[in-house]
Amino acid sequence: NAGVTQTPKFQVLKTGQSMTLQCAQDMNHNSMYWYRQDPGMGLRLIYYSASEGTTDKGEVPNGYNVSRLNKREFSLRLESAAPSQTSVYFCASSQVSAGGPYEQYFGPGTRLTVT
Amino acid sequence: AQSVAQPEDQVNVAEGNPLTVKCTYSVSGNPYLFWYVQYPNRGLQFLLKYITGDNLVKGSYGFEAEFNKSQTSFHLKKPSALVSDSALYFCAVSLYYGQNFVFGPGTRLSVLP
């Protein structure tokens, strides 16, 4: 049981390049999330997917797109990277049901540097 | 809108002493509250949650938290700190009908031997 996996672990991009961050979970959770973590700012939600086939913007969606490929996979795409997108990116998943939202499980993160 | 405040950037405590990491929240509705811990170069790990019921919640690694509705607080506590508790701690809030989890800025806990 791997939990939440993310690839790649590290990435360096030049300004204007594009890339996709991959995330997969094997816990059969219905909800998945993408966050970015910057020093002193905690985690900020970029996009989330409440269930397969749906996606919604979070607090900081500009410059990003997402795809919920199936129940397991949720990818984050940077179409034209900017230095302001230098950050650590975390994917998370959780189960949301009639009992309320449950805790999130986080992947190990992707450290992205844009030069 | 939901928001979470962690008023202390850094908390220092001696090993063996009790520790408290503070969290206050603002939501329009009944909150679901969470504490997570992050060790260096790792993702966040769940510690405990308050959904409903008893205001004192017990979690992993000997941590507990007290929900106080009148003070809109959810402080994390441990009776006796360990050096291995040194990490970054995040408080988070969610509302059932929304899917968003809103995180606080984090508090760095240093336990000194």
Side-chain angles (χ1 to χ4, degrees):
Chain A
N1 206 353
V4 179
T5 57
Q6 292 182 237
T7 55
K9 286 186 166 48
F10 301 93
Q11 185 71 48
V12 179
L13 292 178
K14 295 187 188 304
T15 298
Q17 287 185 318
S18 62
M19 77 162 296
T20 300
L21 281 64
Q22 306 285 357
C23 174
Q25 53 93 7
D26 60 3
M27 295 171 283
N28 204 35
H29 288 164
N30 51 16
S31 296
M32 297 185 73
Y33 312 80
W34 277 106
Y35 293 92
R36 59 178 288 172
Q37 183 179 28
D38 301 294
M41 306 208 46
L43 275 75
R44 292 183 292 170
L45 183 66
I46 304 171
Y47 271 93
Y48 66 96
S49 171
S51 60
E52 187 178 351
T54 68
T55 61
D56 286 286
K57 295 178 180 179
E59 181 185 354
V60 289
N62 290 346
Y64 305 95
N65 285 302
V66 291
S67 295
R68 182 77 181 264
L69 304 170
N70 47 56
K71 192 169 187 179
R72 289 187 62 248
E73 298 171 289
F74 189 40
S75 63
L76 178 72
R77 183 160 179 84
L78 287 69
E79 291 291 350
S80 179
S84 61
Q85 295 178 304
T86 294
S87 188
V88 181
Y89 291 85
F90 288 101
C91 177
S93 69
S94 72
Q95 187 66 14
V96 181
S97 67
Y102 293 91
E103 60 271 21
Q104 294 182 313
Y105 291 82
F106 285 81
T110 295
R111 191 172 294 273
L112 175 67
T113 301
V114 183
T115 61
Chain B
Q2 304 154 227
S3 66
V4 177
Q6 293 180 243
E8 300 156 318
D9 292 336
Q10 173 96 28
V11 170
N12 296 323
V13 64
E15 187 174 30
N17 283 2
L19 69 87
T20 298
V21 182
K22 295 179 180 177
C23 171
T24 58
Y25 65 90
S26 173
V27 297
S28 52
N30 292 321
Y32 296 88
L33 295 156
F34 302 80
W35 275 102
Y36 291 84
V37 60
Q38 185 181 32
Y39 298 101
N41 300 314
R42 303 285 295 275
L44 278 68
Q45 296 177 32
F46 168 75
L47 277 179
L48 52 79
K49 65 184 176 187
Y50 171 81
I51 302 295
T52 186
D54 196 349
N55 289 343
L56 185 64
V57 178
K58 294 189 184 297
S60 306
Y61 312 121
F63 284 94
E64 58 189 28
E66 186 166 12
F67 172 63
N68 187 318
K69 189 171 184 177
S70 63
Q71 297 185 0
T72 61
S73 66
F74 189 57
H75 300 333
L76 181 70
K77 300 181 180 184
K78 187 173 183 182
S80 179
L82 299 173
V83 172
S84 57
D85 293 330
S86 298
L88 192 54
Y89 290 80
F90 291 96
C91 183
V93 64
S94 179
L95 290 173
Y96 167 64
Y97 59 83
Q99 298 291 334
N100 284 1
F101 288 78
V102 175
F103 285 80
T107 297
R108 187 164 300 282
L109 173 68
S110 291
V111 181
L112 308 172

